[in-house]
Amino acid sequence: MSAATPRRKPFPVLDTDRLRLRRFAARDVDAMHGAFGNATAMWYWNSPRFKTRAETARLVRVLAKADGPQWWLAWAIARRRDDRCVGMINYHHREAGNGRLELGWILAPRHQGKGYAREAAAAVIRYCFNQLDTHRIEAMIVPENTVSIRLAESLGFRFEGGPIRDRWRADGKYHSVLMYGLLAGEER
Ligand SMILES: CC(C)(COP(=O)(O)OP(=O)(O)OC[C@H]1O[C@@H](n2cnc3c(N)ncnc32)[C@H](O)[C@@H]1OP(=O)(O)O)[C@@H](O)C(=O)NCCC(=O)NCCS
């Protein structure tokens, strides 16, 4: 490495039984377009679906640059057996001073229903509590997203309030969300 090359911080790779949570790479674009390009999956997300693969490629390039632990970090959720990306999990709106951050999760539809989101989220929650000095993790979920609510509750999150009115805007429309919270020590 030349003296002028900026040094990259090591990325916090997290391994679970079936998954490796790692930095995003260009090879993940098609898999992620399965999620970000999917109208059903994105109906529950706080930004509009991507109509083109190029838009997803742009986002994947941004996600791949993150080094953490700053105010956000995204992990590609990859299967350990073939390194195939099945989705994304991220934290965002991290306020280190308050020991607080928010989690987001999304899987490409063909990889849902296999327990991957729960396995990935449990690892990220452990990392946030043990390595980032986090005390409180939040998840904002639209009331219709029963799958995500079930996932959050299975991880130990508690319903704390809402609907919080017009908290998100996607596709020019405002969406109200429920607030779920998990304190250190409550995780399952
Ligand atoms: C929310 C989302 C990530 C959940 O994905 P998921 O794959 O359903 O979630 P899980 O990893 O918890 O999988 C659980 C399901 O897999 C099944 N499963 C199959 N094999 C399994 C295994 N080996 N281990 C655990 N669960 C397994 C479980 O029975 C469970 O189904 P159930 O909840 O009906 O009982 C996914 O629905 C999604 O991407 N939605 C669109 C985006 C979104 O809504 N994001 C959240 C915004 S707040």
Side-chain angles (χ1 to χ4, degrees):
M1 190 188 289
S2 82
T5 308
R7 203 184 281 271
R8 274 192 132 172
K9 277 197 260 170
F11 187 88
V13 174
L14 306 175
D15 280 336
T16 68
D17 284 351
R18 295 178 294 170
L19 303 172
R20 170 156 292 173
L21 311 188
R22 56 158 173 77
R23 185 191 289 281
F24 271 101
R27 63 184 182 283
D28 301 326
V29 171
D30 286 333
M32 285 316 299
H33 197 56
F36 291 134
N38 183 278
T40 310
M42 293 302 279
W43 195 85
Y44 298 117
W45 203 246
N46 59 347
S47 59
R49 108 179 157 87
F50 288 162
K51 295 194 177 67
T52 66
R53 187 184 179 281
E55 286 174 278
T56 300
R58 245 193 319 275
L59 178 61
V60 166
R61 277 198 296 279
V62 172
L63 299 178
K65 284 194 188 129
D67 278 320
Q70 295 159 358
W71 76 274
W72 68 274
L73 185 69
W75 285 265
I77 305 173
R79 292 191 303 214
R80 277 171 70 164
R81 65 180 153 94
D82 56 6
D83 194 42
R84 192 186 169 109
C85 176
V86 298
M88 177 189 84
I89 182 156
N90 66 354
Y91 68 74
H92 54 94
H93 290 94
R94 175 171 179 242
E95 294 178 17
N98 286 317
R100 182 174 73 218
L101 51 77
E102 276 179 52
L103 280 195
W105 42 60
I106 185 165
L107 296 183
R110 58 193 300 229
H111 298 295
Q112 294 174 12
K114 297 174 182 167
Y116 288 153
R118 189 176 196 290
E119 196 170 317
V124 167
I125 287 167
R126 261 194 312 277
Y127 171 77
C128 293
F129 283 146
N130 298 338
Q131 308 296 321
L132 296 187
D133 194 27
T134 299
H135 174 67
R136 174 181 166 80
I137 298 179
E138 297 178 347
M140 310 261 193
I141 307 177
V142 294
E144 297 83 358
N145 195 350
T146 50
V147 175
S148 202
I149 289 171
R150 198 161 56 232
L151 169 60
E153 288 179 341
S154 82
L155 291 159
F157 281 82
R158 296 188 198 173
F159 171 70
E160 294 182 335
I164 300 168
R165 295 177 305 149
D166 292 358
R167 184 70 164 58
W168 288 353
R169 183 165 61 182
D171 269 339
K173 288 194 210 90
Y174 286 99
H175 300 269
S176 303
V177 297
L178 306 179
M179 165 69 86
Y180 282 80
L182 178 73
L183 301 186
E186 293 176 347
E187 65 273 26
R188 291 205 284 263

